[in-house]
Amino acid sequence: MGALYMGNKPLLHVDQRVSVVVEQLLRLLHHCGAPPTDVDLLHGPGTTMGDVLKGAEPRSTLFTGSQRVAERLAVELHGKVFLEDAGFDWKILGPDVRDLDYVAWQCDQDAYACTGQKCSAQSILFAHSNWVIAGLLDRITDLATSRKLSDLTVGPVLSWTTKSILDHTKRLLQIPGAKLLFGGKPLSGHSIPEVYGAVEPTAVFIPLEQALLPEHFGVVTTEVFGPFQVVTEWQDGQLPQVLDACERMSHHLTAAVVSNDINFVQHVLGNTVNGTTYVGIRARTTGAPQNHWFGPAGDPRGAGIGTPEAIRLVWSCHREIITDFGPVPPPSFLVQS
Amino acid sequence: MGALYMGNKPLLHVDQRVSVVVEQLLRLLHHCGAPPTDVDLLHGPGTTMGDVLKGAEPRSTLFTGSQRVAERLAVELHGKVFLEDAGFDWKILGPDVRDLDYVAWQCDQDAYACTGQKCSAQSILFAHSNWVIAGLLDRITDLATSRKLSDLTVGPVLSWTTKSILDHTKRLLQIPGAKLLFGGKPLSGHSIPEVYGAVEPTAVFIPLEQALLPEHFGVVTTEVFGPFQVVTEWQDGQLPQVLDACERMSHHLTAAVVSNDINFVQHVLGNTVNGTTYVGIRARTTGAPQNHWFGPAGDPRGAGIGTPEAIRLVWSCHREIITDFGPVPPPSFLVQS
Amino acid sequence: MGALYMGNKPLLHVDQRVSVVVEQLLRLLHHCGAPPTDVDLLHGPGTTMGDVLKGAEPRSTLFTGSQRVAERLAVELHGKVFLEDAGFDWKILGPDVRDLDYVAWQCDQDAYACTGQKCSAQSILFAHSNWVIAGLLDRITDLATSRKLSDLTVGPVLSWTTKSILDHTKRLLQIPGAKLLFGGKPLSGHSIPEVYGAVEPTAVFIPLEQALLPEHFGVVTTEVFGPFQVVTEWQDGQLPQVLDACERMSHHLTAAVVSNDINFVQHVLGNTVNGTTYVGIRARTTGAPQNHWFGPAGDPRGAGIGTPEAIRLVWSCHREIITDFGPVPPPSFLVQS
Amino acid sequence: MGALYMGNKPLLHVDQRVSVVVEQLLRLLHHCGAPPTDVDLLHGPGTTMGDVLKGAEPRSTLFTGSQRVAERLAVELHGKVFLEDAGFDWKILGPDVRDLDYVAWQCDQDAYACTGQKCSAQSILFAHSNWVIAGLLDRITDLATSRKLSDLTVGPVLSWTTKSILDHTKRLLQIPGAKLLFGGKPLSGHSIPEVYGAVEPTAVFIPLEQALLPEHFGVVTTEVFGPFQVVTEWQDGQLPQVLDACERMSHHLTAAVVSNDINFVQHVLGNTVNGTTYVGIRARTTGAPQNHWFGPAGDPRGAGIGTPEAIRLVWSCHREIITDFGPVPPPSFLVQS
């Protein structure tokens, strides 16, 4: 809609598995009076869309999706692109424990609501040991294991199969000190086709020192677009390692700093670069109560979604008109240079 | 300076022929107290800088220079780049003739001041026939032919040789109806080395219909970074062709609409996309009396220079911090989804 | 509504003759869910409201109404007031005649739509003689005299009686050179009570030199809140007198400069101070096609209505919070002064 | 200077005792090239300035000074005035004690730097009992009693005599439970004339409950434009009384909330209205490290000083120009209403 607001004629393409939904939205817009020629929709595979982009030379492209396709598009389109790609999003719990039930509930929501299929999902949790001692992980386990297919608090995964999620879980569990907190099993009693994923909400604990090792860091920070998260623990004195981990992640979409200690909060904010960062004891990585700018930071190609400023950035650009209607100066002022 | 204001640590590279000037500027900054480690400077050929960029993976790059290098950089850096490239800048003179001497003086300044070596130089002039009848071209000829080496109103060209400029002139003069308005000859009585260019201020007239032909359009709209311009004439009824020419140019840096007819001005503005556009009888393509946003429009990679907004766009980015310190809602509000 | 948006608890009072309408609006708000305690409404005469204001000491007051009451309120409330008062609004027609039918229609609308009862109504028309020669006054006469009660294009006046409007007309007609362009008669065939006014749309022509004389200026620029306007004519060379008249008027609500000559427009804008000023051949004094800031200029008490900026000015204020959470400097920095 | 930046022609008047200083500043401006006719300066008593204002009918007036004169001016000028008047400024120390030396030093600076003669001086200190137990008052006493004439850390008072300050001190000490923390004596060994004040830095402690009594509140919250402050103490549970005291003060210039407890800070901010409010452990009432908006809040007459927004508010106003150059709609759209 932002593209339309700014007067563009967009060509819309979404993953062919959900493209039918967008078509219905467009038909709804037409029903409400939108001119049918204002938006084009392309059904089909991404390769077809890629061919069209090459031929059409659009002025700008907004891409939301995987990091791999994003980088390829950036090259093919010579950088004429805005990206809102990979979301391996972190949450840091500070040393000040309070409102335990609320924080546990928010962790469960951030990681597993919508079966974890949102680019803002909580992918890794850095819990200060004070929270672990206070019983946060038990509380999260209680919440996650109560999710079930029958009330739709868990469901099918579109882009990862059951096998690929469980294989990824196994790889993580081979890291020294790793342990399964909960999940790690297929869902049962359902008719979800095999091309989709169907697993219980899952969390794997990895010791902080192990997660930071170069041989593990890549797999630990791989985004699973499903009901899956990594959990780790840090103690006083280990904040530099936590911040180092955040810095080494390649993409910086959302993040949360759960603490009401203003000096702790300012220190973490001053040493990280994520685009949409929630801070305070109620901090979340996803499902913001109102419509914020949503997008990564630290990359000139970074897209923003939602607010007027974000729409202006992505779907318009600055144009400077200087009016100079006169009067003209006298001839004596007109010298050559 | 914008990069520094926003807290970056820039690596600076300029063409090796003028790099010595920038070094002196940095030394001046150091003399005034700037920390020597805040900016790095690389002397050397562009290929070396390209290698460094590949290895360093900078968060962002601002490139000012030729269109060819710009497109290559955009691909190599996966689009993490802002461009302020080619400047084939146009000026349209509307049907309302007034302040003839001033407009002629401004045309001469825009095309030939600094020996035409500025990305905002006037590269093509679309003069309404009312201006031609009123004698504008004669007046410009008088001004341009009075420029001479002895008072530095003309000088050496750094990036084009004398031969390449004169060859380009000859190619244009082969277009049917083309004629040389003035110039087209080497400067004499000087010791400028042959690797540089030394030509008289030059203007070639091309009939509008011929300029628009596909076989001529490319050469007519080739930017010469020196004292050179193309002139053409349009009549009532031909504005659509003029606007079509402006639309077909591939880059959109500066432009000028010389007219105090507000409806004419609005029509041209509404049908063009240049970034920094001056309008009104005093309109210029270059040398703005104050510091405007300076940059192209219509390209997500378009850089801006000069104003706070431009510096923020290129050297910083939006980061959204949402504080949510509490209080937390009661347990009954915490349901899973 | 602006007062509510900014979190105030307003006490609302409107003229007792139309207060019943506002009550219905409030009941509509309550029906839609507005908390009944968020706004108070006072039915009754202005004197009662004055007494309440004295006792309640509200933080701020917005007054819309007559200039006389406005000035008294400003004193009684020690200046804690925003005013949107008298609207004796002018329209200047520049020398460039075009779109005659449209301009005549707009003049008729500005002066007589809503029976002229709007603070933005056109109260005086300064027509350049080119417009008079082109037949503008005849065209306005045609339009105004076609208004009639049966289709509601004219109606009762709430705050002036028939007699007071006609008496004012007679006073103006005693000025040397004055003449009645049209109207000046009571409406017939109706049952409008005598406490209200019922007159034909009326225009009185006054020669510019006469209007400017100190003995006439006051009566010429008296606002009639009804279907009434003054018309005058100016010629090349008389613009300074026109601008002088605009400057001498005591209040500066809306204005219109009807011209597409950009230099004329800029000259008039640079020499006047009205708050909401429309310029261009389509300029109006009232009935703006979208929601502009609406309010006077040049007075620290000037209220604005409509836009977010206006609402912020009147119903909120700047408050500056500076956070300074640390860290603290070392003791050696702490010296007394 | 703000008045000049916005294009006004100001008439400047300052208290006749220091008017000579402003004259020298103006002469400096003239020396630097300022046109001598751009600012007028009036030497003389306030009554003369009042007469001039009545005759000149300035478009706007900015008054900085006593509350009494401010209110009189507001009436005389019918509210065409901006006020930056009385500054009885409070500081609240929250329950979280830290950085004791720094906070004590800041309290001493806020109350006694410039001999307390600044409208942002700390006039009353609400110290949580945790701070009193930690020894804050002793530390402030040490600092204040080390101030002396010889190093200019204390000096003459322009607008209060020695006798009037000491009489005020005595009145406060008659309140039950009041005690002198330090000071309360004339300075000795000097030649300051009797028309000025010369007293030691002074602090009087008043129990919170006594300060809130209607018979004492007026004298407790009387601003002394000199080296004088009131100190009181509050305990857990008494925050509502502290906030009530802040609410009952009649003017709201600066304030400080000294705490790094973000929830405490937000609660106090949400229940007070002061214009320039510093929060955090480094919070001050005066001497801001950079140039903030400085002014009261909650009063439509409230002036702001310092920032571009403040200058625009006081020395300019919103004026809305709507351009509407066409084209005009076809005749069929022109209906009367």
Side-chain angles (χ1 to χ4, degrees):
Chain A
M1 297 300 293
L4 284 171
Y5 295 156
M6 300 308 289
N8 300 280
K9 176 168 182 175
L11 165 60
L12 186 60
H13 175 260
V14 301
D15 186 289
Q16 67 213 73
R17 281 168 294 192
V18 291
S19 193
V20 64
V21 181
V22 160
E23 182 185 328
Q24 292 303 313
L25 176 64
L26 281 183
R27 290 185 186 279
L28 177 62
L29 287 174
H30 295 166
H31 180 77
C32 296
T37 54
D38 274 11
V39 188
D40 290 334
L41 172 66
L42 182 92
H43 282 301
T47 49
T48 305
M49 186 62 182
D51 289 344
V52 171
L53 286 178
K54 258 179 261 176
E57 295 190 13
R59 295 246 183 200
S60 186
T61 298
L62 172 64
F63 175 75
T64 305
S66 80
Q67 181 178 344
R68 191 179 48 81
V69 175
E71 291 294 333
R72 208 184 59 216
L73 261 182
V75 171
E76 285 176 0
L77 299 173
H78 287 212
K80 289 187 177 182
V81 69
F82 284 101
L83 307 177
E84 195 260 285
D85 54 345
F88 187 86
D89 307 307
W90 50 261
K91 180 185 281 179
I92 298 174
L93 306 183
D96 52 321
V97 175
R98 48 180 286 182
D99 300 313
L100 184 71
D101 282 351
Y102 183 83
V103 171
W105 172 82
Q106 187 64 61
C107 284
D108 174 69
Q109 287 291 111
D110 283 349
Y112 305 122
C114 303
T115 312
Q117 292 174 96
K118 34 187 183 175
C119 47
S120 58
Q122 172 179 314
S123 297
I124 189 165
L125 178 68
F126 296 95
H128 188 277
S129 52
N130 291 349
W131 288 92
V132 178
I133 292 164
L136 179 81
L137 300 187
D138 299 334
R139 192 75 196 90
I140 293 179
T141 303
D142 290 346
L143 289 165
T145 54
S146 72
R147 289 177 173 272
K148 49 187 183 291
L149 268 172
S150 60
D151 62 1
L152 298 178
T153 49
V154 69
V157 175
L158 288 181
S159 53
W160 285 61
T161 64
T162 303
K163 182 171 183 310
S164 60
I165 297 177
L166 298 182
D167 285 353
H168 181 68
T169 307
K170 278 181 210 143
R171 274 178 71 198
L172 287 173
L173 287 172
Q174 288 161 6
I175 294 174
K179 60 183 173 191
L180 186 70
L181 291 182
F182 49 81
K185 289 199 287 286
L187 292 173
S188 59
H190 62 78
S191 59
I192 297 169
E194 290 213 358
V195 294
Y196 300 120
V199 297
E200 294 181 0
T202 300
V204 175
F205 181 92
I206 311 280
L208 181 59
E209 318 77 59
Q210 293 291 329
L212 286 168
L213 293 178
E215 58 267 37
H216 301 149
F217 193 73
V219 65
V220 167
T221 61
T222 294
E223 180 189 6
V224 176
F225 207 70
F228 185 90
Q229 69 176 322
V230 170
V231 174
T232 188
E233 182 180 349
W234 64 284
Q235 304 192 341
D236 292 343
Q238 286 189 304
L239 186 57
Q241 285 96 297
V242 173
L243 296 174
D244 179 49
C246 297
E247 172 73 12
R248 281 164 59 192
M249 294 172 198
S250 62
H251 284 67
H252 303 283
L253 194 54
T254 75
V257 187
V258 179
S259 169
N260 270 14
D261 177 337
I262 192 70
N263 299 104
F264 177 78
V265 161
Q266 290 188 339
H267 183 78
V268 175
L269 288 178
N271 287 278
T272 53
V273 300
N274 284 56
T276 307
T277 308
Y278 297 84
V279 300
I281 203 69
R282 290 165 49 106
R284 46 182 61 198
T285 65
T286 189
Q290 60 257 37
N291 207 4
H292 303 128
W293 168 294
F294 182 74
D299 189 323
R301 307 165 307 180
I305 292 173
T307 62
E309 186 192 349
I311 291 172
R312 270 197 301 263
L313 176 79
V314 174
W315 292 114
S316 182
C317 67
H318 184 99
R319 184 187 182 192
E320 187 125 341
I321 307 292
I322 303 104
T323 58
D324 204 4
F325 291 116
V328 305
S332 58
F333 279 80
L334 307 181
V335 295
Q336 283 182 321
S337 63
Chain B
M1 297 303 292
L4 284 172
Y5 295 155
M6 300 308 288
N8 300 279
K9 176 168 182 173
L11 166 60
L12 186 62
H13 175 259
V14 302
D15 186 289
Q16 66 213 72
R17 280 168 296 192
V18 291
S19 194
V20 62
V21 180
V22 161
E23 182 186 327
Q24 291 303 313
L25 176 64
L26 280 184
R27 290 185 185 279
L28 176 63
L29 287 174
H30 295 165
H31 181 76
C32 297
T37 54
D38 274 12
V39 188
D40 290 332
L41 172 65
L42 182 93
H43 282 301
T47 50
T48 305
M49 186 62 181
D51 290 343
V52 170
L53 286 177
K54 257 179 261 177
E57 295 191 11
R59 296 247 183 198
S60 186
T61 298
L62 172 63
F63 174 76
T64 305
S66 81
Q67 181 178 344
R68 191 179 48 80
V69 175
E71 290 295 331
R72 207 183 59 216
L73 260 182
V75 171
E76 285 176 0
L77 299 173
H78 287 210
K80 289 187 177 182
V81 70
F82 284 101
L83 307 177
E84 194 261 286
D85 54 345
F88 188 86
D89 307 306
W90 50 262
K91 179 184 281 180
I92 299 174
L93 307 183
D96 51 320
V97 175
R98 47 180 286 183
D99 300 313
L100 185 71
D101 282 350
Y102 183 83
V103 171
W105 172 82
Q106 187 64 61
C107 286
D108 173 69
Q109 287 291 109
D110 284 348
Y112 304 122
C114 304
T115 313
Q117 292 174 99
K118 35 187 182 174
C119 47
S120 58
Q122 172 180 313
S123 298
I124 188 166
L125 177 69
F126 296 95
H128 188 279
S129 51
N130 290 349
W131 288 93
V132 178
I133 293 164
L136 179 80
L137 301 187
D138 298 335
R139 192 73 196 90
I140 293 179
T141 303
D142 290 346
L143 288 165
T145 54
S146 72
R147 289 178 173 271
K148 50 187 182 291
L149 268 173
S150 60
D151 62 3
L152 299 176
T153 49
V154 70
V157 176
L158 288 181
S159 53
W160 287 61
T161 62
T162 302
K163 181 170 183 311
S164 61
I165 297 177
L166 298 183
D167 285 353
H168 181 69
T169 306
K170 278 180 211 145
R171 276 178 68 199
L172 287 172
L173 288 173
Q174 287 160 8
I175 295 174
K179 61 183 173 191
L180 185 71
L181 292 181
F182 49 81
K185 289 199 288 285
L187 291 174
S188 59
H190 62 77
S191 58
I192 297 170
E194 289 213 358
V195 294
Y196 300 119
V199 298
E200 293 181 1
T202 300
V204 175
F205 182 91
I206 312 279
L208 181 59
E209 318 76 60
Q210 293 291 330
L212 285 167
L213 293 178
E215 58 266 38
H216 300 150
F217 194 72
V219 64
V220 167
T221 62
T222 294
E223 180 189 5
V224 176
F225 207 71
F228 185 90
Q229 69 175 322
V230 169
V231 175
T232 187
E233 181 179 349
W234 65 283
Q235 304 193 342
D236 291 344
Q238 286 189 304
L239 187 56
Q241 286 98 296
V242 172
L243 295 174
D244 179 49
C246 296
E247 174 71 13
R248 281 164 60 191
M249 293 173 198
S250 62
H251 285 66
H252 303 284
L253 195 53
T254 74
V257 187
V258 179
S259 170
N260 270 14
D261 177 337
I262 192 70
N263 298 102
F264 177 78
V265 160
Q266 291 187 340
H267 183 77
V268 174
L269 288 179
N271 287 280
T272 52
V273 300
N274 284 55
T276 306
T277 308
Y278 298 84
V279 301
I281 202 68
R282 289 165 50 107
R284 46 180 63 198
T285 66
T286 190
Q290 62 257 38
N291 205 5
H292 302 127
W293 168 295
F294 181 74
D299 188 323
R301 307 165 305 180
I305 291 173
T307 62
E309 187 192 351
I311 290 173
R312 270 197 301 265
L313 176 80
V314 173
W315 292 114
S316 182
C317 68
H318 184 98
R319 183 187 182 193
E320 186 125 343
I321 308 292
I322 303 104
T323 59
D324 204 3
F325 292 116
V328 305
S332 58
F333 279 81
L334 307 182
V335 295
Q336 283 181 322
S337 63
Chain C
M1 296 304 291
L4 283 172
Y5 295 155
M6 301 308 289
N8 300 280
K9 176 168 182 173
L11 166 60
L12 187 60
H13 175 259
V14 302
D15 186 289
Q16 68 214 69
R17 280 166 295 192
V18 291
S19 192
V20 65
V21 181
V22 160
E23 182 186 328
Q24 291 303 312
L25 176 65
L26 280 183
R27 290 185 185 279
L28 177 62
L29 287 173
H30 295 166
H31 181 76
C32 296
T37 54
D38 274 12
V39 187
D40 290 332
L41 172 64
L42 182 92
H43 282 301
T47 49
T48 305
M49 186 61 182
D51 290 344
V52 170
L53 286 178
K54 256 180 261 177
E57 294 190 13
R59 295 245 182 199
S60 187
T61 299
L62 171 63
F63 174 76
T64 305
S66 80
Q67 180 178 346
R68 191 179 47 81
V69 175
E71 291 293 334
R72 207 183 59 216
L73 261 182
V75 170
E76 285 175 0
L77 299 174
H78 287 211
K80 289 186 176 183
V81 69
F82 285 101
L83 306 178
E84 195 261 286
D85 55 344
F88 187 87
D89 307 306
W90 50 261
K91 179 184 282 179
I92 299 174
L93 306 182
D96 52 320
V97 175
R98 48 180 285 183
D99 299 313
L100 184 72
D101 282 350
Y102 183 83
V103 171
W105 172 82
Q106 188 63 62
C107 285
D108 174 69
Q109 286 291 109
D110 284 348
Y112 305 122
C114 304
T115 312
Q117 293 174 95
K118 33 188 184 174
C119 47
S120 58
Q122 172 179 314
S123 297
I124 189 166
L125 178 69
F126 296 95
H128 187 279
S129 51
N130 290 349
W131 288 91
V132 178
I133 292 163
L136 178 81
L137 300 187
D138 298 335
R139 192 74 196 89
I140 294 179
T141 302
D142 290 347
L143 288 165
T145 54
S146 73
R147 290 178 172 271
K148 50 188 181 292
L149 267 172
S150 61
D151 61 3
L152 299 177
T153 48
V154 70
V157 176
L158 287 181
S159 52
W160 285 62
T161 62
T162 302
K163 180 172 184 309
S164 60
I165 297 176
L166 297 183
D167 284 354
H168 181 69
T169 307
K170 278 180 211 144
R171 275 179 69 199
L172 286 172
L173 287 173
Q174 287 160 8
I175 294 174
K179 61 184 171 191
L180 187 70
L181 291 181
F182 50 81
K185 288 198 287 289
L187 292 173
S188 59
H190 62 79
S191 59
I192 297 168
E194 290 213 356
V195 294
Y196 300 119
V199 298
E200 294 180 1
T202 300
V204 176
F205 182 91
I206 311 279
L208 181 59
E209 318 75 60
Q210 292 291 330
L212 285 168
L213 293 179
E215 59 267 37
H216 300 150
F217 193 74
V219 66
V220 167
T221 62
T222 293
E223 180 188 7
V224 176
F225 207 71
F228 186 90
Q229 68 175 323
V230 169
V231 174
T232 188
E233 182 180 349
W234 64 284
Q235 305 193 339
D236 291 343
Q238 286 189 303
L239 186 57
Q241 284 97 299
V242 174
L243 296 174
D244 179 49
C246 296
E247 173 73 13
R248 280 164 59 192
M249 294 173 198
S250 61
H251 286 65
H252 304 283
L253 195 53
T254 75
V257 187
V258 178
S259 170
N260 271 14
D261 177 338
I262 192 70
N263 299 103
F264 177 78
V265 161
Q266 290 188 340
H267 183 76
V268 174
L269 288 179
N271 287 279
T272 53
V273 299
N274 284 54
T276 307
T277 308
Y278 298 84
V279 301
I281 202 69
R282 289 165 50 106
R284 44 182 62 199
T285 64
T286 189
Q290 61 258 35
N291 205 4
H292 303 127
W293 169 296
F294 181 74
D299 188 322
R301 307 165 307 180
I305 291 173
T307 62
E309 186 192 350
I311 290 173
R312 270 197 301 264
L313 176 79
V314 173
W315 292 114
S316 181
C317 68
H318 185 99
R319 183 187 181 192
E320 186 126 342
I321 307 291
I322 302 105
T323 58
D324 205 4
F325 291 117
V328 303
S332 58
F333 280 79
L334 307 181
V335 295
Q336 284 182 321
S337 63
Chain D
M1 297 301 291
L4 284 171
Y5 294 154
M6 301 307 290
N8 300 280
K9 175 167 183 174
L11 166 60
L12 186 61
H13 175 259
V14 300
D15 186 290
Q16 68 214 72
R17 279 168 297 191
V18 291
S19 192
V20 63
V21 180
V22 160
E23 182 186 328
Q24 291 304 313
L25 176 64
L26 281 183
R27 290 186 185 279
L28 176 61
L29 287 174
H30 294 166
H31 181 76
C32 297
T37 55
D38 274 11
V39 187
D40 290 333
L41 172 65
L42 182 92
H43 282 302
T47 49
T48 305
M49 185 62 181
D51 289 345
V52 170
L53 287 178
K54 256 179 264 178
E57 295 190 13
R59 295 248 183 198
S60 187
T61 299
L62 171 63
F63 174 76
T64 305
S66 81
Q67 180 178 344
R68 192 179 47 82
V69 175
E71 291 295 332
R72 208 184 57 216
L73 261 182
V75 171
E76 285 176 0
L77 299 173
H78 287 212
K80 289 188 176 182
V81 69
F82 285 101
L83 306 178
E84 196 259 286
D85 54 345
F88 187 86
D89 307 306
W90 50 262
K91 180 185 280 179
I92 298 176
L93 306 183
D96 51 321
V97 175
R98 47 179 287 182
D99 299 314
L100 185 72
D101 282 352
Y102 183 82
V103 171
W105 171 81
Q106 187 65 60
C107 285
D108 173 70
Q109 287 291 111
D110 283 349
Y112 304 123
C114 305
T115 312
Q117 292 173 98
K118 35 188 182 173
C119 47
S120 59
Q122 172 179 314
S123 296
I124 189 166
L125 178 69
F126 296 95
H128 188 278
S129 51
N130 291 349
W131 287 92
V132 177
I133 292 165
L136 179 81
L137 300 187
D138 298 336
R139 192 74 196 89
I140 294 179
T141 302
D142 290 347
L143 289 165
T145 54
S146 72
R147 290 178 172 273
K148 50 188 183 290
L149 267 173
S150 60
D151 62 2
L152 298 178
T153 49
V154 68
V157 175
L158 288 181
S159 54
W160 285 61
T161 62
T162 303
K163 181 169 183 311
S164 60
I165 297 176
L166 298 183
D167 284 353
H168 181 68
T169 306
K170 277 180 212 145
R171 275 178 71 198
L172 287 172
L173 288 173
Q174 286 161 10
I175 294 175
K179 60 184 173 190
L180 186 70
L181 291 182
F182 49 80
K185 288 199 287 285
L187 292 173
S188 58
H190 62 78
S191 58
I192 298 169
E194 290 212 358
V195 293
Y196 299 120
V199 297
E200 294 180 0
T202 300
V204 175
F205 181 91
I206 311 279
L208 181 59
E209 318 76 60
Q210 292 291 330
L212 286 167
L213 294 179
E215 57 266 38
H216 300 149
F217 193 74
V219 64
V220 168
T221 61
T222 294
E223 180 188 6
V224 176
F225 208 70
F228 185 90
Q229 70 175 321
V230 169
V231 174
T232 187
E233 182 179 350
W234 65 284
Q235 305 193 343
D236 291 343
Q238 286 189 304
L239 186 56
Q241 286 96 296
V242 172
L243 295 174
D244 179 50
C246 296
E247 173 72 13
R248 281 163 61 192
M249 293 172 197
S250 61
H251 285 65
H252 303 283
L253 194 53
T254 74
V257 187
V258 178
S259 170
N260 270 15
D261 177 337
I262 191 70
N263 298 103
F264 176 79
V265 160
Q266 290 187 340
H267 183 78
V268 175
L269 288 179
N271 287 279
T272 53
V273 299
N274 284 56
T276 307
T277 307
Y278 297 85
V279 302
I281 203 68
R282 289 165 49 106
R284 46 181 63 199
T285 64
T286 189
Q290 61 259 34
N291 206 4
H292 303 127
W293 169 295
F294 181 74
D299 188 324
R301 307 165 305 180
I305 292 173
T307 62
E309 186 192 351
I311 290 173
R312 271 197 300 265
L313 176 79
V314 173
W315 292 115
S316 182
C317 67
H318 184 98
R319 183 187 182 193
E320 187 125 341
I321 307 292
I322 303 104
T323 58
D324 205 3
F325 291 117
V328 304
S332 58
F333 279 81
L334 307 182
V335 296
Q336 283 182 322
S337 64

